[in-house]
Amino acid sequence: MGSSWLCFSLTFLLVLHGTFAQQRYQQQQGQCQLNRLNPQEPTVLIKAEAGVTELWDQNNQQFQCAGVSLIRHVIKSRGMLLPSYLNTPLLAYVEQGRGFYGILNSGCPETFQSSQKFQQGERGAGSRFQDRHQRIGQFRQGDIIAFPAGAAHWAYNEGNEELVLVVFEDSGNNANQLDQTSRRFFIAGNPQQGEQKQGQQGTHGLRKEQFQSGNVFSGFESELLAEAFGVDIETARKLQGQNDMRGHIVNIEQGLRVVRPPFSQEQEEREERQEQGQYGPRMNGIEETICSAKVRQNIDNPARADVYNPQAGRFTTVNSFTLPILSFLRLSAARGVLYKNSIMAPHWMTNAHSIIYITKGEARIQIVDHRGQAVLDDRVRRGQVVIVPQNYAVVKHTENEPCEWVAFNTNDNAMLNTLSGRTSAIRGLPVDVIANSYQISRDEARRLKFNREETLIFRASGRSSSSESVAAA
């Protein structure tokens, strides 16, 4: 009797738990009624000694439904973003400037090291290490850098101009086992001292607190930290950043001195040839470990374009095939450039949300949902963000000025299907199917199917004959 009652109780609890889980899932799904999309701009600006960080409102319904967030760091020359880690994987796009970064994974070897000879008469000839640390990478404008969830990282601006990093965080990723909020844990400094300026709208709460609270050491007792590191109490208190008034981006007046190899123009060109398969073996990710994995790829180089039309523009992707670590992060990115009076064909992403950040110019963007209603029809300009939900159809059109953008996708191999052009869904239909579907003649169906010979990016030539369209390609 007792065992039967226990079995019944456990079964009831499992059913009840499943019911609650299903209700929670339905509630989450019900929250994503995206009847209207709008271009988004940062609503909070947080100041620090050597730069500022701008936050988009993560509580905005569009960001909530996609399970993503976006921030932008503007770092002055010789400024360093203090080490921190997140509960989400992230992709950073270098919109402007150059510098170097570090990614810290426990257990990885300290492969960057320096040594110095002892002076003569000082315990004889020999050598000793001055410093050693994990691998450091360098970046430049146009780079995409991938950071795994939970991996501490930092960045430094070694150029003479401001460094602008656009950072995409995927809180809906399977690597995040917390709620749908991106959390940043600083391991140095005292970010709460940074000044903060609230925008006109947006409720940020926990999101804003990431850059307005102490580092993780500040919550421990000083005596315990001193014992853990084998240092004195005063050093432990400095570890906690108790009197640090610089914020989360700090100035290094003498420049950051670290062990790193020189990075020449010749090396950049060699890396580009490697990415294009023109120099040496291609990496497939099997021989890589988390310590040695390549995490950076440049997507600004026109020579890397996947789609190129000299009259209309280009489109470049970086995914798990070109940067294998992205298969671990389950993220990818793309770079688009549209010249004046050009169109990116109507298309949809079959397996990913796409977050589009405009880096230059403006474009008219239209997005259509499953009901055939335009949920966005607006001109989107530099610095604004548009979220395109999975399977929503989207088209971009430029008129009197070009437009450039970077897109972050929530799948490591985001797949794009077009609605017009040589490889489109319409092109794949038989002429009779087109004619009967749209109640048009066979000649009209043939023109609809074959007029555009381009694949993705078209020159906007208005209404034209078939020959004119082909010539424009």
Side-chain angles (χ1 to χ4, degrees):
M1 180 67 180
S3 59
S4 300
W5 175 252
L6 179 60
C7 182
F8 171 78
S9 301
L10 290 174
T11 304
F12 177 76
L13 288 174
L14 288 173
V15 171
L16 190 64
H17 176 75
T19 303
F20 286 156
Q22 184 177 8
Q23 288 177 350
R24 181 182 179 187
Y25 174 78
Q26 291 173 346
Q27 289 171 358
Q28 289 176 345
Q29 292 297 302
Q31 292 173 0
C32 292
Q33 300 297 327
L34 297 175
N35 300 320
R36 186 67 185 170
L37 300 176
N38 298 292
Q40 300 294 310
E41 296 184 0
T43 55
V44 163
L45 184 147
I46 298 176
K47 296 182 179 180
E49 178 187 57
V52 298
T53 293
E54 299 169 286
L55 309 178
W56 276 260
D57 185 4
Q58 191 180 20
N59 292 325
N60 178 279
Q61 187 183 43
Q62 298 173 57
F63 285 99
Q64 283 281 309
C65 290
V68 300
S69 58
L70 203 71
I71 65 177
R72 181 169 57 208
H73 299 298
V74 180
I75 304 173
K76 298 178 182 178
S77 178
R78 297 187 177 181
M80 183 179 70
L81 178 66
L82 291 175
S84 64
Y85 60 92
L86 280 81
N87 61 318
T88 71
L90 62 94
L91 296 179
Y93 173 71
V94 185
E95 183 177 1
Q96 175 184 297
R98 63 186 178 88
F100 49 91
Y101 65 91
I103 300 179
L104 314 175
N105 289 291
S106 293
C108 289
E110 299 167 333
T111 54
F112 281 32
Q113 54 197 19
S114 66
S115 60
Q116 180 181 4
K117 293 283 186 180
F118 285 120
Q119 294 182 357
Q120 189 66 28
E122 197 176 296
R123 288 182 289 177
S127 63
R128 61 184 175 88
F129 289 113
Q130 281 188 307
D131 189 19
R132 54 188 176 193
H133 50 73
Q134 291 187 23
R135 192 166 57 124
I136 286 178
Q138 296 181 269
F139 58 78
R140 57 190 170 95
Q141 182 173 319
D143 280 348
I144 288 285
I145 312 171
F147 297 91
H153 56 274
W154 54 270
Y156 174 73
N157 178 8
E158 69 170 341
N160 296 322
E161 62 178 342
E162 287 185 332
L163 170 64
V164 181
L165 298 175
V166 181
V167 180
F168 167 76
E169 303 167 354
D170 183 18
S171 56
N173 195 281
N174 67 334
N176 174 29
Q177 299 189 22
L178 298 174
D179 55 27
Q180 294 250 341
T181 300
S182 175
R183 289 174 167 84
R184 183 177 295 271
F185 301 79
F186 279 95
I187 59 175
N190 191 14
Q192 64 184 353
Q193 298 300 328
E195 298 179 30
Q196 179 268 333
K197 182 179 179 181
Q198 177 72 44
Q200 296 298 317
Q201 58 181 353
T203 55
H204 292 260
L206 179 62
R207 177 75 174 150
K208 186 171 60 180
E209 290 176 3
Q210 298 178 45
F211 300 93
Q212 293 186 299
S213 56
N215 70 55
V216 294
F217 292 121
S218 63
F220 294 113
E221 290 184 355
S222 302
E223 293 79 5
L224 187 58
L225 283 178
E227 184 66 27
F229 283 91
V231 296
D232 56 38
I233 295 293
E234 184 60 28
T235 301
R237 288 172 181 163
K238 289 182 178 180
L239 195 67
Q240 296 175 311
Q242 294 179 359
N243 299 314
D244 193 339
M245 308 294 288
R246 300 172 297 170
H248 63 289
I249 304 174
V250 302
N251 181 51
I252 302 176
E253 294 183 2
Q254 303 301 320
L256 194 62
R257 292 174 291 180
V258 296
V259 181
R260 61 190 178 98
F263 197 68
S264 63
Q265 181 66 32
E266 181 182 353
Q267 184 177 353
E268 291 184 11
E269 294 173 355
R270 186 184 303 115
E271 288 188 359
E272 289 173 359
R273 291 195 298 270
Q274 286 177 335
E275 290 171 4
Q276 298 168 34
Q278 300 173 1
Y279 186 92
R282 293 291 298 271
M283 297 297 183
N284 61 13
I286 297 176
E287 66 285 331
E288 293 183 341
T289 67
I290 194 64
C291 299
S292 63
K294 181 181 177 182
V295 299
R296 179 186 63 86
Q297 187 173 98
N298 192 278
I299 58 173
D300 268 10
N301 186 353
R304 284 203 66 253
D306 298 299
V307 178
Y308 177 68
N309 183 329
Q311 284 80 39
R314 65 181 188 270
F315 188 73
T316 309
T317 61
V318 53
N319 54 37
S320 57
F321 295 108
T322 58
L323 191 62
I325 195 174
L326 294 179
S327 62
F328 177 64
L329 273 60
R330 298 189 177 180
L331 298 175
S332 60
R335 178 85 163 118
V337 175
L338 273 185
Y339 303 153
K340 293 190 296 185
N341 302 314
S342 300
I343 297 175
M344 185 171 179
H347 62 276
W348 77 93
M349 304 294 290
T350 65
N351 58 353
H353 303 307
S354 187
I355 292 76
I356 299 170
Y357 171 83
I358 306 297
T359 61
K360 183 178 180 180
E362 71 170 24
R364 182 185 179 189
I365 299 181
Q366 291 182 302
I367 302 176
V368 177
D369 66 8
H370 61 286
R371 297 164 298 181
Q373 297 182 0
V375 293
L376 173 69
D377 185 357
D378 205 347
R379 295 187 182 279
V380 186
R381 62 182 185 275
R382 179 179 181 180
Q384 292 185 320
V385 171
V386 170
I387 296 178
V388 184
Q390 178 186 6
N391 291 322
Y392 279 45
V394 57
V395 63
K396 303 180 184 72
H397 177 215
T398 58
E399 293 179 344
N400 298 321
E401 65 175 308
C403 179
E404 300 181 9
W405 69 91
V406 60
F408 303 100
N409 305 314
T410 58
N411 191 295
D412 60 290
N413 186 24
M415 300 177 65
L416 183 151
N417 279 4
T418 54
L419 288 163
S420 65
R422 193 174 70 246
T423 57
S424 67
I426 296 297
R427 189 67 173 261
L429 294 173
V431 170
D432 266 11
V433 172
I434 296 174
N436 284 280
S437 296
Y438 300 108
Q439 301 183 71
I440 57 179
S441 68
R442 287 177 57 87
D443 287 340
E444 289 174 318
R446 192 173 292 109
R447 287 195 294 272
L448 181 67
K449 178 175 179 177
F450 293 107
N451 263 12
R452 281 294 187 185
E453 289 299 320
E454 306 96 321
T455 56
L456 184 64
I457 297 176
F458 312 149
R459 182 71 176 174
S461 55
R463 296 179 180 177
S464 61
S465 64
S466 177
S467 61
E468 291 173 337
S469 296
V470 173

